Amino acid sequence: MPLSRLRRLLEEERYREAQLEGERLIHAGTLTAEELAGAYKGTAMASYYRREVYAAITLGQYALAVAERTTNWELINKCHFDLGEYYLTLGDYPQAFDHLFKCLNDLHRTPHLVEVEAGTHHNLALLFRYRRQYEDAIGSHHLSLDLLRRCNNWPLLMEALRGLVYCYLALDQPNEALPYLEQLEHLLGEHPNDQVAASLLTDWAYYHQKTGDLRQSMAFCTRAMAPGLPGQDENVLSTASVIAGENALVLGRYDEAQFFSNLAMQYALGSRQSALMNRATALRRKLFELGRIRP
């Protein structure tokens, strides 16, 4: 099979090699339309995981254009799904919505793509969260949960539960968030996942912040920022830093708040999460207004 090596490299997360293999296949000129679309799609995916989002979008558009010349609806729907995710990462929410909605609209042609349908609802939930449309996000997260249970995708299912926690906390409804936090703790016992476990520490920190227990919130932030914590990444570090900074500000510990605000900005830049960047910026603005930092 012409695409077998490209697929293997993607599975092995050897993304630079996958890019080169995809480019070789594309320029060989010997592929069928379906194979060419697959080569563009795989090369786009490799570019995306190397954080080359603009390249991923360009290649993804080529993949979709070629796929639409075939009758392979599975390939077409997956191309729309990929482009929806790429545009979501870029922050182009109208384009992301169009591709995700198109994917959902055509999935009746490929009812076996349960995981793609679940992922599409999950990404729509993320889009609604970024737009602060939390009620819409809650609905999409619930739709994704039902499908994710059917395909036993436990990591994404736990991320959907985390999404529900975030939405309810953003709506100042910690009592609604608590059952999903408890579900996460239970699922982690059955399906260990270092990244989810590390992220859950920041969810608990946010929960206790919302209930007014800042001591507990700071304790969870400290655990999340512990050096060498398994599953820790820039998203975890930026979230813990910004929550700790917000707590310190409320407690009047301004030097501590400034320290955490600097960390939050540093890690938020690396995490590529606009919501975290906005919270970190808001924290710094409050400190500036109090005369604690310079512009």
Side-chain angles (χ1 to χ4, degrees), residues 228-239:
L229 175 72
Q232 186 185 73
D233 58 15
E234 289 172 322
N235 193 49
V236 169
L237 289 168
S238 57
T239 305

Side-chain angles (χ1 to χ4, degrees), residues 16 62-63 113 115 158 178 250 289:
R16 180 55 186 151
Y62 287 148
L113 294 181
E115 198 147 3
M158 288 190 279
L178 184 58
V250 171
E289 290 168 354

Side-chain angles (χ1 to χ4, degrees), residues 2-36:
L3 303 183
S4 58
R5 184 168 184 269
L6 174 58
R7 289 170 180 151
R8 178 171 56 80
L9 291 169
L10 288 169
E11 289 172 1
E12 295 173 357
E13 300 182 4
R14 294 158 62 184
Y15 298 125
R16 180 55 186 151
E17 293 175 68
Q19 280 180 315
L20 294 172
E21 174 65 7
E23 291 167 3
R24 184 190 69 78
L25 290 168
I26 290 165
H27 293 117
T30 58
L31 302 178
T32 66
E34 286 187 9
E35 290 167 347
L36 181 59

Side-chain angles (χ1 to χ4, degrees), residues 16 57 100 126 168 182 205 220 244 290:
R16 180 55 186 151
I57 287 172
L100 293 170
L126 293 179
Y168 283 120
E182 292 170 341
F220 276 103
L290 291 168

Side-chain angles (χ1 to χ4, degrees), residues 192-204:
N193 183 303
D194 287 342
Q195 189 169 22
V196 174
S199 298
L200 185 56
L201 295 174
T202 66
D203 296 337
W204 279 115

Side-chain angles (χ1 to χ4, degrees), residues 44-86:
M45 190 177 298
S47 299
Y48 177 70
Y49 285 119
R50 297 190 77 230
R51 298 194 174 189
E52 299 170 7
V53 182
Y54 287 104
I57 287 172
T58 299
L59 290 161
Q61 289 169 335
Y62 287 148
L64 177 61
V66 177
E68 286 179 332
R69 301 206 299 263
T70 75
T71 57
N72 187 332
W73 282 100
E74 178 173 338
L75 182 59
I76 293 168
N77 287 341
K78 286 182 176 180
C79 286
H80 278 299
F81 174 81
D82 289 351
L83 281 166
E85 183 166 336
Y86 303 158

